[in-house]
Amino acid sequence: MAWIHLNDDAYMWKNIEEGAQLGGYNSGHAVWVSVDLAMKIRYFGDFKHEGDVVKIVGTYNAACPQHGGDMDIHASTLDIVRAGHPVHDAFNTARAMVALFLLVVAFALHRIRTIIRRRHAF
């Protein structure tokens, strides 16, 4: 048996890097599946991959007696609805420059604060 975690959210079909608009929330569900069913999944979602979109049929447990009262789904079938794929995030130079600028400002403010505290300490 294996645990998989399914996200059912606004970014299920397209992530922000692929052009999806910000919206909704991130809702996930724990699913208990047989290893045979889990082996159907080619791409698990992570920072570098958009995971397979799957359809699960199974038993929903609001408080599963087998798993310490946790909410889960015990899957009886798993079908791939859409195959996942690697995600290539482009480096955002403008965002990096803003971050660098803010880092310099924060450091300068910290130094100014340190100097002022030293002068008032005596």
Side-chain angles (χ1 to χ4, degrees):
M1 299 300 287
W3 284 106
I4 61 173
H5 187 84
L6 300 182
N7 282 346
D8 181 16
D9 59 30
Y11 311 109
M12 181 170 65
W13 297 107
K14 185 191 298 185
N15 64 38
I16 293 170
E17 289 79 12
E18 294 171 324
Q21 296 298 313
L22 289 174
Y25 55 90
N26 188 352
S27 172
H29 303 282
V31 181
W32 185 241
V33 298
S34 69
V35 171
D36 292 337
L37 292 178
M39 293 297 289
K40 290 182 177 183
I41 300 171
R42 183 169 172 211
Y43 286 101
F44 290 93
D46 60 23
F47 185 72
K48 294 185 179 186
H49 299 92
E50 185 76 23
D52 292 346
V53 175
V54 299
K55 177 183 175 184
I56 297 286
V57 175
T59 303
Y60 169 78
N61 298 294
C64 179
Q66 184 179 351
H67 297 114
D70 290 339
M71 181 178 67
D72 65 16
I73 299 170
H74 291 209
S76 54
T77 67
L78 182 148
D79 296 308
I80 305 296
V81 175
R82 188 190 77 191
H85 55 86
V87 174
H88 302 286
D89 294 323
F91 183 77
N92 189 328
T93 304
R95 188 177 291 169
M97 294 303 289
V98 169
L100 181 61
F101 172 76
L102 292 174
L103 180 65
V104 169
V105 169
F107 179 75
L109 290 172
H110 174 69
R111 293 294 301 151
I112 291 168
R113 181 175 180 229
T114 303
I115 291 169
I116 290 171
R117 282 187 163 192
R118 283 184 190 159
R119 287 185 181 168
H120 286 76
F122 297 108

